Amino acid sequence: MPKPLEQLHESDIERKCCIGKVLTNSLKHLTQRFMDCDFEWLLPVVFSKSTDPLWPDPGASIEKRIELEIYGETVRTTSSMIVHKMVACSLAHPRLFILSPNIRIERRERARTGRHVYEFTQLDFEVRDATSKEIRRLVETVLSGLIGNLKRELREELTYLGRYHSLRVPKMPFREYPRRELEKKYGTGWERRLVSEIRDPVWVTDIPREFYDFEDFETGVWDNYDLFLPQYGEVLSGARREWEHDKIIRKMERDNGIKKENYALLLKLAKERRMKPSAGAGIGIERLVGWIAGVQHLGETQLFPKVPGVVYDL
Ligand code: ASN
């Protein structure tokens, strides 16, 4: 289990500093690539009336949703900036990204999965009128470029972390697996099997989840995608989005437990036809860096670890 900074020995701190270098270089590379592709860089929000419901989502396991009152209004801490991204992309910036802190109070049983922390950062981005395929190609280019760059610039650190030789630049395009095929082959436990068998990042498409991902009501196919890393699992999820009012309403009503009043502005904009088609994704930074650095627990990528069920001083 990751320890807080003040309890680390010298060699642990040295390792932490190598991981820190991987983090800094990754953020530098990723943000630069997005800016090179004409994306605007937005600052994150922390409190608002609308945040990601994280429901229904096969991967979600939230112990507590944080709601509090400010100025006589109920607000929630950001679980993802999906609603803000869709609105910003429709009304202002056709290409945008954010380094967004997400708070997801995961069940404490997830302390030892090594793959969950209750505060993390997403590089979240959205592109007006984009197709899913365009987003996937963009991600592949950016990630392959990142690995190549880190192997050139951080040879010493990656060697210290034991990752220089095992980390390879993934070949493009990455393989794509429709979720239904994986279910046929491996059953409901497909995620674990897939992650243990792959040697390079792969896409999984058509995953039933939250109302904002596009679903073809005729075929029942979802136009969305997750990126899975060998051993580490899901590092990104994204989709083409819903933008039509009636469809969003239908999905919210179907999703038992979604409070429409929490999405009043999104629904109003959709009703007024001000929401536009877009597609995007969010990259989990700690998961990406954790895979690159080869950590046992994602808390190792954080100087102040946020392990489910554990609250340290800082
Ligand atoms: N960032 C994700 C997306 O763009 C949403 C999420 O984090 N749940 O689809």
Side-chain angles (χ1 to χ4, degrees), residues 34-47:
F34 276 94
M35 288 188 288
D36 291 345
C37 296
D38 288 327
F39 281 72
E40 297 308 334
W41 189 344
L42 269 60
L43 292 175
V45 300
V46 176
F47 295 126

Side-chain angles (χ1 to χ4, degrees), residues 274-291:
R274 295 173 72 194
M275 292 306 295
K276 307 224 166 90
S278 66
I283 303 172
I285 295 296
E286 287 82 351
R287 286 187 178 174
L288 178 64
V289 168
W291 170 64

Side-chain angles (χ1 to χ4, degrees), residues 126-178:
E126 198 71 17
V127 181
R128 199 185 291 169
D129 292 323
T131 63
S132 289
K133 202 168 180 176
E134 285 163 350
I135 299 295
R136 290 199 292 266
R137 294 299 93 90
L138 170 72
V139 169
E140 291 170 5
T141 309
V142 168
L143 287 188
S144 299
L146 170 68
I147 305 302
N149 174 278
L150 292 175
K151 290 196 75 159
R152 282 190 302 277
E153 293 199 1
L154 293 185
R155 186 178 181 137
E156 207 179 300
E157 288 78 5
L158 289 173
T159 304
Y160 184 93
L161 293 165
R163 281 294 272 151
Y164 184 76
H165 292 290
S166 56
L167 187 66
R168 34 180 222 193
V169 179
K171 283 200 190 70
M172 297 187 286
F174 299 175
R175 291 193 68 164
E176 287 178 25
Y177 297 95

Side-chain angles (χ1 to χ4, degrees), residues 2-214:
K3 287 194 186 132
L5 186 55
E6 70 282 5
Q7 287 177 22
L8 295 181
H9 297 297
E10 223 170 278
S11 64
D12 298 328
I13 292 190
E14 209 171 317
R15 197 176 132 76
K16 219 51 183 191
C17 290
C18 280
I19 299 172
K21 285 237 163 81
V22 173
L23 174 66
T24 301
N25 262 262
S26 301
L27 291 175
K28 177 175 151 197
H29 184 90
L30 295 170
T31 52
Q32 190 60 54
R33 287 290 87 82
F34 276 94
M35 288 188 288
D36 291 345
C37 296
D38 288 327
F39 281 72
E40 297 308 334
W41 189 344
L42 269 60
L43 292 175
V45 300
V46 176
F47 295 126
S48 44
K49 291 185 184 177
S50 292
T51 194
D52 193 329
L54 299 177
W55 178 263
D57 181 331
S61 139
I62 300 298
E63 177 165 314
K64 178 177 181 163
R65 289 171 202 273
I66 302 180
E67 286 188 353
L68 58 147
E69 208 189 286
I70 51 173
Y71 308 120
E73 300 268 9
T74 302
V75 290
R76 295 162 187 89
T77 51
T78 297
S79 50
S80 100
M81 277 183 61
I82 182 69
V83 177
H84 300 75
K85 277 199 312 181
M86 288 165 63
V87 170
C89 190
S90 296
L91 302 191
H93 302 299
R95 301 163 79 77
L96 61 93
F97 75 95
I98 321 143
L99 279 169
S100 158
N102 287 189
I103 297 176
R104 300 184 184 177
I105 310 302
E106 300 279 354
R107 294 222 176 92
R108 55 198 82 199
E109 300 88 84
R110 286 191 161 182
R112 288 178 188 279
T113 62
R115 295 193 43 236
H116 296 94
V117 282
Y118 61 88
E119 263 184 56
F120 68 96
T121 296
Q122 280 203 56
L123 196 165
D124 229 351
F125 64 96
E126 198 71 17
V127 181
R128 199 185 291 169
D129 292 323
T131 63
S132 289
K133 202 168 180 176
E134 285 163 350
I135 299 295
R136 290 199 292 266
R137 294 299 93 90
L138 170 72
V139 169
E140 291 170 5
T141 309
V142 168
L143 287 188
S144 299
L146 170 68
I147 305 302
N149 174 278
L150 292 175
K151 290 196 75 159
R152 282 190 302 277
E153 293 199 1
L154 293 185
R155 186 178 181 137
E156 207 179 300
E157 288 78 5
L158 289 173
T159 304
Y160 184 93
L161 293 165
R163 281 294 272 151
Y164 184 76
H165 292 290
S166 56
L167 187 66
R168 34 180 222 193
V169 179
K171 283 200 190 70
M172 297 187 286
F174 299 175
R175 291 193 68 164
E176 287 178 25
Y177 297 95
R179 184 252 325 160
R180 289 165 214 249
E181 258 173 43
L182 293 172
E183 277 177 356
K184 240 184 255 157
K185 192 164 169 202
Y186 299 123
T188 47
W190 60 265
E191 185 171 336
R192 219 176 326 116
R193 289 285 301 276
L194 177 76
V195 165
S196 67
E197 283 177 20
I198 55 177
R199 294 284 160 263
D200 287 301
V202 300
W203 295 106
V204 177
T205 57
D206 179 21
I207 304 157
R209 55 180 170 222
E210 290 87 348
F211 67 83
Y212 48 76
D213 284 5
F214 189 93

